Amino acid sequence: MKKTIWIIALRGMRGARRDFLLLGLAILLIVALATGMAATAHILRTGIDLETRSMLAADLRLESATPFPESIQSLLRRPDWQVAENLEFTAMVRLPDSERTVLVEVLAAAPEHPLRGTIDLRSGRSAQAALQNDGAILEPALFDRLGITPDAWFQLGQARFHAADTLVREPDRVLRFFRWGPRLIIPKARAQETGLLGFGSRIQYVALIRLPAGEDPATLAKTLEQTTLGLGIRVLTPAEGQPSARRFIDRFTIFLHFLTLLTLLTATQAISDAMAAHARENRTQIAILKSLGASHGTVMAILLTRMLIMAVPGAVAGSALGTSLPWLIGGASSGQMPWLLSLFLIGAGAGSGLGVFFSLGALWSTRQVSPATLFRAIAWEGGSGLLAWPWRWGIPLGVTLLLTFLLGLQAGWKSGLLFCTGLIAGFALLGLLAKGGVAALRRWHPASPTWRLAVRALTAPDSGTSHAIFAVGLGIGVLCAILLVEQNLDHQMVARLPTRMPGFFLIDLQPDQEAPLRQLASRFALTGDDLRVTPVVRGRLQALKGVAVTPEMVQTHPQAWRFQRDYVMTWAQTLPPGNHLTAGQWWQDPQAREASVEREMAKALGLDLGDTLSFDILGETVTAPITSIRELRWSDMGLNFFVVFSPGVLAGAPFSNLASAMVAPEREEAFRTAVVNAFPNVSLIAAREVLQRAREMLDRLIASVRFAGAMAAASGLTALAVTVSLLRRRRAREAAIHRLLGAVRQDLLKRAGVEFLLIGLIAALAGVLAGQGVNAGVMEVLFEDAPEWLPLTTLAALIGGTALVVLTGHLATRQDLGQSIPEALRRTP
């Protein structure tokens, strides 16, 4: 029996090779584009992930103001983890025979530090080699501040070190733009000799963790946060260590899921419609088989075998092509071969499985074909569309539920349910517009005979025009949604990138030094925003909502580290650049006592408008109510603050200044020398290299968004072209009869062109409206941003979608008209 099924299946494909080649090609392209998008996006994201890990110097970073308890120490001794435990503290450095001292930030580094990235030194040797034999690593500014040369000796507390090398770059420097002083790195083994670790010292205990391959830092961080609850330990992941990229990476991940789901939706429609068209055109063969005693199960097995014959090779070839795309563009490495191989197997299996699964509706509908079809031209139930109810609506709704489940796993069930609701509303809108378009055509009576015949053909009871508009509108709507969401995300990411980046940050600039600094800056043509000077104070959180911060509160709060850190705060009369209010109003009276808090901090501490904050600033308690909550543009890489006070709150308080300077790259060295000579107390941090690394990472994210959007759009175009090419099959028999009666080829082409133009216009309008709705929902719900309507993109989707329908339909019609009349009649009983 199995052999007979294979023989009948193969013989039945002889007269429909073009159909099977078309559907096989569609499966090949859809699988190739889907796997190619997944493979390339994975490699791009992996590269960005490695870059963010190097900016953290590890996969996870634990910070604590007190030594790690035994529960954490035992956890850090896991044999499959690499751990580096460092100490960070502030101290004074002095020369042995001089009273000259400089405040520095000390890193007492473990031998394993860093676990990701490298510490670059001017000599080119490793940090471990430089730290041997009483060696220390100094920032260039520290040499200038101390007035020493390499290999000179200096005193740190009770221990002596010599300047063994000059620090060029730290991998995790992006975490510490604003510091008390220049960086000094010493071996952790000698930290105790300094005598600076005693009672009263403010030491930050840091544990860096490198995880084995395949272990996700974000997942582990959630587990650790439960373990460290109440211990005052902060757990940093790579994304949290680089806040300017965290939002973009999260959005990029959701965007990939969104594209994959919509690509699946268009593939579903194309495959189910293609198999329905094949089954309908072969209903005479099906009737013959049933008249000879074949059961419905046998008929389904034959058609299913045909689907496997074209789906499996197409899926395998498409998966091979898609997974080889990263190699073709030079983005893959040998270490990613196992992952790409698994993606190939998944793509081949999923492509074959989806091809079979989404053809089941058409195969099941063949039960309606009876042997009576051989003797009278009965209409197949559901002839008004490619599939009969419930398959016509059941398949999209079923796929929508599947998409909801998949998106819910990735972005949360609330987002998944809203996405599901939006898709169902989009289906309903498409269905209403399709029926409304057909109803409008019935009331239209054009004067041109060609147009009149086309309109009558489209409005005939069994024309299937409503479903054709729905199917094409779905494809155009998906394409429009992909383009709109991609451009919205792209525009918003680009808008958040700084057009210019500071070359230097100046720390500990005294109030009376601001005017001389501006005079010096004018020599380097720095004006306006080129030099930003901001007053700052440091303090610790003392009370929330009038309740003092107690050890019990620290022990029970999930983000206790926020109570133990030093906050750098400022005051401002106007809203700082790159900030916008999400709640409340900015103060009108500068002398009022008010505070503005960053949104994530307010959310973490449960703060709202009207609540009070108290900080210990140089031994004085400063209290102010919260009157506004701000969202920051961390990606502008400028001077941003968690808390901003009104000027009246800190009136008379001692302060220093932070400054950022945008200097032309070719003049940076001269500017650095001039500042060091003029202001020996100021710490000058060269920021361009660090900021450029972050900018390059964000640029790669934007490029990834554009590439993934293009891949998904190409996949959608492929599915749409398959759907449109199948629509002309309903007209093939009628066109053959007209030719038999003497109709001219050009007239038939014109009539078909008018039909596809009308279908394309109505479907494109419906699709664009649905696409705009999906874009608005995705931006508002998933990305929490106001959508941009992008009229040019919308118009391009409207015109392009219509043109694609007309062009594809015209080419398919020309191909059908190239057949002989008997062949055309045989193929369309």
Side-chain angles (χ1 to χ4, degrees), residues 5-6 8-10 12-13 20 23 275-283 285-287 289-290 295-311 355-356 359-367 369 380:
I5 290 175
W6 275 93
I8 297 175
L10 291 172
M13 294 179 66
F20 290 112
L23 190 51
M275 199 60 192
H278 172 73
R280 185 180 59 247
E281 291 178 3
N282 288 272
R283 55 185 172 175
Q285 297 178 17
I286 296 171
L289 289 172
K290 288 188 175 182
S295 64
H296 178 61
T298 303
V299 172
M300 283 192 64
I302 292 170
L303 294 177
L304 190 61
T305 301
R306 291 178 185 174
M307 169 57 79
L308 286 172
I309 291 173
M310 59 185 167
V356 172
S359 65
L360 291 179
L363 299 181
W364 182 256
S365 295
T366 59
R367 77 188 190 281
V369 180
W380 189 356

Side-chain angles (χ1 to χ4, degrees), residues 35-91:
T35 55
M37 181 178 68
T40 306
H42 169 80
I43 288 173
L44 289 171
R45 198 180 188 284
T46 299
I48 293 170
D49 183 57
L50 289 175
E51 210 163 322
T52 57
R53 294 186 190 207
S54 70
M55 289 184 177
L56 196 67
D59 297 334
L60 281 177
R61 177 184 172 100
L62 276 60
E63 298 177 352
S64 174
T66 58
F68 294 114
E70 179 56 34
S71 60
I72 301 301
Q73 289 287 350
S74 61
L75 188 64
L76 295 177
R77 288 193 288 268
R78 275 183 50 171
D80 56 338
W81 287 3
Q82 296 182 44
V83 178
E85 295 190 57
N86 301 331
L87 302 176
E88 296 181 359
F89 56 92
T90 304

Side-chain angles (χ1 to χ4, degrees), residues 809-829:
H810 176 76
L811 294 176
T813 303
R814 286 180 65 92
Q815 191 175 29
D816 278 338
L817 292 177
Q819 297 177 348
S820 65
I821 294 176
E823 182 184 1
L825 291 174
R826 281 197 306 269
R827 285 175 53 79
T828 56

